């Protein structure tokens, strides 16, 4: 069992930056992935970034490439999302997810509670 806790959301003006954190408590297996998803009002869930816990390889969603950066702290079982040049369309609830990833359904067994990011002037 893994418990995920996100933090760092808030409100920012377009062009601004925010950093989200996700701390995992519980055992992290080498097969696990960690991921950031987001869901805007009235829209489906969107994959923001996918991190392989064993290799550190990261894949980004097309809409955030070049603006968002994922990093991790293995010792702290934590993952971070640095978001730069934020746009209004980045407004969403951001979720951290973890576990054995099912690419067909884009599902994870463990999810955080979500943190709101609002980009508005």
């Amino acid at each position: 069992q893994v418990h995920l806790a996100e933090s760092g959301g808030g409100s920012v003006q377009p062009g601004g930056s925010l950093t989200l954190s996700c701390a995992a408590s519980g055992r992290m297996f080498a097969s696990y992935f960690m991921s950031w998803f987001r869901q805007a009002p009235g829209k489906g869930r969107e994959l923001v970034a996918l991190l392989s816990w064993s290799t550190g390889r990261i894949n980004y969603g097309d809409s955030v490439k070049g603006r968002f950066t994922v990093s991790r702290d293995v010792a702290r079982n934590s993952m971070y999302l640095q978001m730069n040049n934020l746009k209004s369309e980045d407004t969403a609830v951001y979720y951290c997810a973890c576990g054995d990833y099912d690419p067909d359904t884009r599902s994870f067994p463990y999810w955080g509670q979500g943190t709101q990011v609002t980009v508005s002037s």
Side-chain angles (χ1 to χ4, degrees):
Q1 187 77 15
V2 175
H3 176 72
L4 300 173
E6 301 118 330
S7 61
S11 295
V12 65
Q13 293 185 342
S17 298
L18 278 176
T19 300
L20 306 183
S21 300
C22 174
S25 60
R27 185 174 178 180
M28 291 290 290
F29 290 92
S31 63
Y32 280 8
F33 286 77
M34 289 190 80
S35 182
W36 289 102
F37 284 85
R38 67 185 182 185
Q39 187 161 18
K43 296 188 177 181
R45 190 172 61 194
E46 178 186 6
L47 178 65
V48 174
L50 182 67
L51 164 70
S52 168
W53 196 248
S54 62
T55 67
R57 180 176 177 175
I58 303 165
N59 290 308
Y60 293 95
D62 289 340
S63 62
V64 305
K65 283 180 181 176
R67 299 187 300 123
F68 290 11
T69 302
V70 168
S71 60
R72 65 173 177 167
D73 184 334
V74 175
R76 289 183 168 85
N77 279 355
S78 293
M79 176 178 66
Y80 309 95
L81 180 66
Q82 173 67 44
M83 304 182 292
N84 296 326
N85 190 22
L86 282 161
K87 306 175 181 180
S88 59
E89 52 263 42
D90 295 317
T91 296
V93 178
Y94 284 70
Y95 297 91
C96 175
C98 172
D100 288 316
Y101 178 54
D102 183 341
D104 292 330
T105 60
R106 290 193 169 187
S107 64
F108 283 89
Y110 308 114
W111 291 82
Q113 79 285 357
T115 185
Q116 177 70 47
V117 171
T118 301
V119 184
S120 174
S121 56

